[in-house]
Amino acid sequence: MRTSKNCSSKQEVLTALSLSTWMYILARAIVGVCIGVVFTASFTLVRAVTTPETLGRALGTFGAVSGLTMMASTFIGGSLATVEWRLAFLVVPVI
């Protein structure tokens, strides 16, 4: 999971530094794959550390925290994009 998170962070930096449309699209595609792996591993980890009785609550908490984090990072990224669009892609590596 750590490798996937590092992959995502590095690709976000490449997205911010992209010099062409194709470089931007390729970096975003790789970010999508990396984040898919991170979420899959995260759900698997939650499932592994909880009992069947508490799984629903654990996944609900995970979903709520993920949603709030995405909302906050979208707000921060949007605010940074008003200054320079490339700054918006540097939110994930910093977090």
Side-chain angles (χ1 to χ4, degrees), residues 8-29:
S8 174
S9 295
K10 289 174 185 172
Q11 295 305 318
E12 290 284 2
V13 172
L14 281 178
T15 301
L17 299 176
S18 62
L19 301 174
S20 69
T21 303
W22 289 109
M23 187 176 172
Y24 173 83
I25 291 170
L26 179 63
R28 295 308 296 160

Side-chain angles (χ1 to χ4, degrees), residues 4-69:
S4 298
K5 177 67 174 131
N6 288 339
C7 169
S8 174
S9 295
K10 289 174 185 172
Q11 295 305 318
E12 290 284 2
V13 172
L14 281 178
T15 301
L17 299 176
S18 62
L19 301 174
S20 69
T21 303
W22 289 109
M23 187 176 172
Y24 173 83
I25 291 170
L26 179 63
R28 295 308 296 160
I30 295 171
V31 167
V33 170
C34 293
I35 291 190
V37 171
V38 168
F39 269 93
T40 303
S42 298
F43 280 117
T44 304
L45 182 63
V46 169
R47 174 113 167 102
V49 299
T50 58
T51 62
E53 296 80 27
T54 60
L55 182 60
R57 188 173 350 137
L59 289 176
T61 303
F62 178 80
V65 170
S66 295
L68 290 173
T69 303

Side-chain angles (χ1 to χ4, degrees), residues 9 12-13 15-16 24 28 77 85-93:
S9 295
E12 290 284 2
V13 172
T15 301
Y24 173 83
R28 295 308 296 160
W85 72 268
R86 295 174 190 272
L87 292 176
F89 296 103
L90 299 177
V91 173
V92 171

